Amino acid sequence: MRAGIVIAAWTLLAVALPVRAADGDKSMIAIAIHGGAGVISRVLMTEEQERAYRTDLGRALDAGYAVLEAGGTSLDAAVAAVRILEDSPYFNAGKGAVFNHAGVNELDAAIMDGKTLKAGAVAGVRHVRNPIELARLVMDRTSHVLLTGEGAEEFALEQGVALVPGSYFYTERRWQQLEEARRSDKVAATGEDIGYFGTVGAVARDRDGNLAAATSTGGLTNKRWGRVGDSPIIGAGTYADNASCAVSATGSGEYFIRAVVAHEICARVRLGGRSAADAARDVVHKTLVDIGGDGGVIVVDRNGELTMEFNTEGMFRGARDSRGRREIAIY
Ligand code: ASP
C-alpha cells in the first residue's frame, strides 16, 4: 500500500516536473549587458573607479530587466539598458565617447529585432545624445538599415530627436587619451588603459521568446577618414535571430567585421546545432584569435541562456534572468 503511494507520487512528480520546467523556460526573461572589453588593469583601477563602473552597469542591467519584468519587449529592454550606459561618462558611447583624430566625437549604434530580422543603425553621428534611440527610429520608421553622418542627423531632426552640441560628449579623460594617441600615432583607446575599448551593448529575451541586440560606441580613439567599426554593421557587432540567438560585441572592430562575429555565432547555432555558449567560445577564442582580433561578446539564446565570452583581460559586463541570477563583473 505504502509502496503504491510512493510510486504514484513519483509518477506524478515525473510528469509534473518537466511540464513545469518547460513552462518556466518558455516565459524565461533574461538580459546581459557589456561596457567594453580590453586590458582593464586591476592595479590602475582605484576602488572608487571600480565602484562607479559597477554602479552604472548595475543601473543599466536593472533598468533593462525591469522592462522585461513588466512584460515589455526585448527591444525596449535593450534600449533602456544601452541608453543608461550612453549617458554614463565612464563608457565609450554617448557622453564619454572617445575622440577621433580631429578631436570630434563620432558615434555609431545599431539595434536588431530577432523576431522580424528588422534592423536599424547609424554611423558617424556627432550631435545625437542617444544614438541607440536614433538606430531604433531608423528600424521602426524607414525602409533602410544604416544611415550615416549628416543624413542621419537630418533624419533625427525630422523625427523630433533633440540634438546636442558636440561639447556634450566631452570628458577630460578621453581628451587626454586622444592627445596621447596623437603623440604616439596610435589608433586605439590609449593612456592608462591601453587597449581598452569601452563600447556598450545589451542582449535580451522577453516573455514571448523574442530576442534583441543593441550596441553603441564612439569607436576608436584617434580614428580617421570616417572610419566605422563593427558596432553598427549588422552581423559584425550586432545580430539577433529568434531561431538562434542575439549577440552584441566589443573589441577591435575591423576583426569583428572580417569574421562577421555576431552572425557567425548565430549561424553556428542555427545550422551547426551548437549551443550558443560553445559557438561564442569557438568564435571568440579561435576564429577571432586566428586573425589577431581581441574583444568579447554577450549572447542570449532562444531559451534565455546567457553567455559572456572574451579573450581580453576583462570585459565590463552584467547578467540577470528570471531564475534569480544577477551578476556584475569586470575581470
Ligand atoms: N568595436 C568598437 C569599434 O571597433 C570598439 C569597442 O568595442 O570599444 O568601433
Side-chain angles (χ1 to χ4, degrees):
M1 172 66 181
R2 200 183 285 161
I5 291 172
V6 171
I7 290 169
W10 271 113
T11 314
L12 263 179
L13 265 180
V15 173
L17 273 180
V19 171
R20 233 189 293 143
D23 276 356
D25 278 345
K26 258 190 227 149
S27 58
M28 169 111 167
I29 56 175
I31 181 166
I33 58 166
H34 70 76
V39 178
I40 304 167
S41 170
R42 271 177 210 266
V43 185
L44 293 171
M45 170 119 53
T46 64
E47 252 176 53
E48 200 182 317
Q49 278 172 328
E50 184 167 335
R51 209 172 315 122
Y53 279 109
R54 285 179 178 274
T55 300
D56 283 2
L57 286 169
R59 285 199 304 121
L61 184 67
D62 293 341
Y65 190 81
V67 170
L68 297 174
E69 212 173 21
T73 66
S74 51
L75 285 168
D76 286 343
V79 170
V82 166
R83 199 197 294 123
I84 287 177
L85 297 172
E86 285 179 336
D87 289 345
S88 163
Y90 303 117
F91 302 97
N92 175 17
K95 172 129 190 111
V98 300
F99 288 96
N100 70 6
H101 186 70
V104 173
N105 304 101
E106 284 181 333
L107 313 167
D108 308 332
I111 188 159
M112 184 155 181
D113 179 1
K115 180 181 174 187
T116 58
L117 300 187
K118 286 180 82 182
V122 293
V125 295
R126 298 176 169 199
H127 303 98
V128 179
R129 177 179 160 151
N130 292 106
I132 198 61
E133 287 181 348
L134 190 59
R136 175 83 186 261
L137 289 172
V138 172
M139 177 175 80
D140 289 346
R141 301 201 186 152
T142 78
S143 54
H144 306 306
V145 171
L146 174 60
L147 301 184
T148 66
E150 279 174 25
E153 295 198 344
E154 202 181 305
F155 170 67
L157 270 179
E158 278 176 24
Q159 294 298 315
V161 172
L163 299 185
V164 291
S167 57
Y168 164 80
F169 302 104
Y170 180 90
T171 53
E172 180 60 25
R173 179 169 78 112
R174 296 303 189 191
W175 189 258
Q176 298 297 336
Q177 289 175 349
L178 172 64
E179 295 206 319
E180 196 182 322
R182 275 179 179 156
R183 272 197 298 274
S184 59
D185 208 22
K186 278 202 187 113
V187 182
T190 60
E192 284 185 339
D193 40 14
I194 289 180
Y196 153 60
F197 304 101
T199 288
V200 309
V203 293
R205 180 197 198 269
D206 62 31
R207 242 178 231 178
D208 299 324
N210 292 319
L211 308 183
T215 314
S216 183
T217 187
L220 300 181
T221 298
N222 205 22
K223 63 186 182 181
R224 301 173 85 161
W225 308 304
R227 181 265 185 193
V228 174
D230 59 314
S231 311
I233 307 298
I234 299 304
T238 309
Y239 198 76
D241 178 359
N242 277 5
S244 53
C245 58
V247 181
S248 172
T250 173
S252 46
E254 280 68 10
Y255 299 89
F256 282 69
I257 294 175
R258 288 163 51 200
V260 206
V261 164
H263 183 268
E264 177 69 22
I265 292 172
C266 294
R268 288 186 192 200
V269 173
R270 184 166 50 90
L271 305 170
R274 306 295 306 277
S275 73
D278 283 351
R281 201 176 313 120
D282 290 353
V283 170
V284 168
H285 295 286
K286 175 92 178 86
T287 315
L288 258 180
V289 169
D290 283 353
I291 57 171
D294 51 6
V297 296
I298 50 171
V299 186
V300 63
D301 75 6
R302 57 194 174 149
N303 301 314
E305 294 298 333
L306 298 170
T307 298
M308 304 187 281
E309 202 66 50
F310 50 99
N311 62 24
T312 46
E313 202 171 294
M315 179 166 82
F316 293 106
R317 61 197 185 279
R320 188 166 174 192
D321 67 26
S322 49
R323 281 193 208 136
R325 175 179 181 187
R326 185 183 184 282
E327 171 190 338
I328 303 283
I330 300 178
Y331 306 104

